[in-house]
Amino acid sequence: MKEAARQARTESRIVGFVPTMGALHAGHLSLVARAKRDCDPVIASIFVNPKQFGPQEDFTKYPRTLEKDAEKFAAAGVRALFLPEAPEMYPMGFATYVSVEGLSERLEGRTRPGHFRGVTTVVLKLLEIVQPHFAYFGRKDAQQAKLISTMARDLNLDTEIILGPIVRESDGLAMSSRNAYLTSEERIAATVLHRALAAAREELAAGERDAARLQSSIRRVLDAEPLMKIDYAEVVDVDSFEPVARVTSSSYILLAAYLGKTRLIDNMFMELRDGSADFTFHL
Ligand code: AMP
């Protein structure tokens, strides 16, 4: 992989990279489509990274659909697919980790201790191997995207991190490989995450700026769904990822909740463009 990527760079081509854990859906493929606008070749990877799963998490049952994934990536125009194995990525004696302090321990990191250390370590390794000019990540995993951008800046990586919007099913559920775990009853109930964010968007559009009031209306919508158990619902500034009391700058509303045994996350990105007093909502 290193040799192939190096060859492309010496030919002065712009290398784009889309790392995934496979079980592909339209969210992953939207990142490939975005990468193809800027880059040639586009390289993708599939690696179900053991280091980002907790001991009680779903590493062994995470969906693995390699043949279909390879077809989908090829049809989308991916020129090279990198499929490392865990023993090559983590040889005996592997001892070096990278973690972004602070934010890694909050929100997702509080419920999933060690998760982000595994994510940033594998992403740094993948970026070192491929050395792409651009790497593409989804806003579906907003906190992950923020941590990766912070790591790239802090460690002077030569890769520019580009974020793509969330791709949703027609009923609003954010696409996720983990949606495959939902029973048909849970699948119907899962739309409540999107409905809660849509309710917040209505309130924001009507002028509400108080984060606590937005959070309580989100919780009201989520609590009305008996199958749903909230993990967190927070309003954070888009740059600092610190909770805000009032929504006055570009922000995220971040949600995590359990449906049965399945943990789902979702978010809404609210963008305040320079000189504008109104938010653009990305939901
Ligand atoms: P994963 O395979 O879940 O590790 O995801 C690989 C990449 O796809 C990550 O950058 C995710 O943020 C992104 N991604 C996953 N789901 C979506 C979605 N519904 N919309 C956009 N990007 C997504």
Side-chain angles (χ1 to χ4, degrees):
M1 186 70 259
K2 273 193 149 176
E3 189 44 48
R6 187 180 300 127
Q7 184 66 33
R9 283 195 307 278
T10 54
E11 291 166 8
S12 301
R13 292 194 281 148
I14 305 293
V15 178
F17 180 49
V18 180
T20 78
M21 297 205 301
L24 298 184
H25 51 65
H28 299 113
L29 298 175
S30 73
L31 297 175
V32 173
R34 176 65 217 279
K36 276 183 60 84
R37 274 171 29 204
D38 313 326
C39 310
D40 180 24
V42 174
I43 296 171
S45 65
I46 298 176
F47 180 56
V48 184
N49 173 32
K51 302 233 182 250
Q52 70 189 68
F53 288 79
Q56 309 303 324
E57 291 186 354
D58 54 343
F59 174 68
T60 49
K61 71 168 186 158
Y62 195 83
R64 287 162 172 88
T65 56
L66 183 55
E67 271 177 35
K68 276 195 204 150
D69 291 351
E71 281 169 23
K72 287 181 187 169
F73 269 146
V78 166
R79 292 275 296 279
L81 180 54
F82 182 41
L83 301 168
E85 301 281 346
E88 315 176 67
M89 290 296 268
Y90 304 114
M92 285 282 281
F94 181 89
T96 308
Y97 292 85
V98 57
S99 60
V100 178
E101 292 182 3
L103 179 55
S104 290
E105 284 87 57
R106 294 182 22 234
L107 297 159
E108 286 299 284
R110 199 171 51 122
T111 306
R112 307 184 66 190
H115 167 65
F116 283 127
R117 182 174 92 138
V119 169
T120 42
T121 299
V122 81
V123 170
L124 180 60
K125 284 172 63 69
L126 291 167
L127 295 180
E128 285 294 327
I129 293 165
V130 178
Q131 299 198 12
H133 296 90
F134 298 96
Y136 297 82
F137 295 87
R139 282 194 195 273
K140 156 86 192 325
D141 302 281
Q143 187 181 3
Q144 165 178 289
K146 172 68 186 174
L147 290 167
I148 290 167
S149 301
T150 302
M151 173 180 75
R153 184 204 61 189
D154 291 355
L155 299 183
N156 311 92
L157 301 189
D158 275 334
T159 300
E160 188 173 332
I161 306 299
I162 309 283
L163 307 187
I166 300 179
V167 177
R168 297 177 179 280
E169 302 286 357
S170 54
D171 63 3
L173 177 65
M175 289 191 182
S176 164
S177 308
R178 290 192 166 96
N179 292 348
Y181 300 153
L182 300 171
T183 65
S184 50
E185 224 187 350
E186 289 166 351
R187 172 63 188 80
I188 293 166
T191 59
V192 72
L193 286 169
H194 179 257
R195 284 186 276 120
L197 292 169
R201 178 182 57 191
E202 298 311 310
E203 296 193 6
L204 279 150
E208 181 62 84
R209 293 291 179 267
D210 183 81
R213 279 204 291 270
L214 288 165
Q215 273 163 308
S216 53
S217 64
I218 287 170
R219 282 178 180 274
R220 242 189 335 271
V221 178
L222 294 175
D223 285 340
E225 174 47 66
L227 295 177
M228 179 74 70
K229 201 171 132 278
I230 305 175
D231 185 357
Y232 60 76
E234 283 204 23
V235 189
V236 302
D237 177 78
V238 74
D239 293 317
S240 68
F241 262 69
E242 289 295 330
V244 293
R246 289 184 65 74
V247 185
T248 53
S249 59
S250 293
S251 307
Y252 277 110
I253 296 180
L254 302 170
L255 302 185
Y258 293 92
L259 264 176
K261 292 200 180 87
T262 306
R263 187 165 177 284
L264 299 179
I265 58 172
D266 202 346
N267 69 74
M268 176 168 69
F269 171 43
M270 298 164 279
E271 196 176 17
L272 203 53
R273 291 187 194 278
D274 282 347
S276 165
D278 294 324
F279 287 103
T280 307
F281 299 104
H282 301 270
L283 179 59

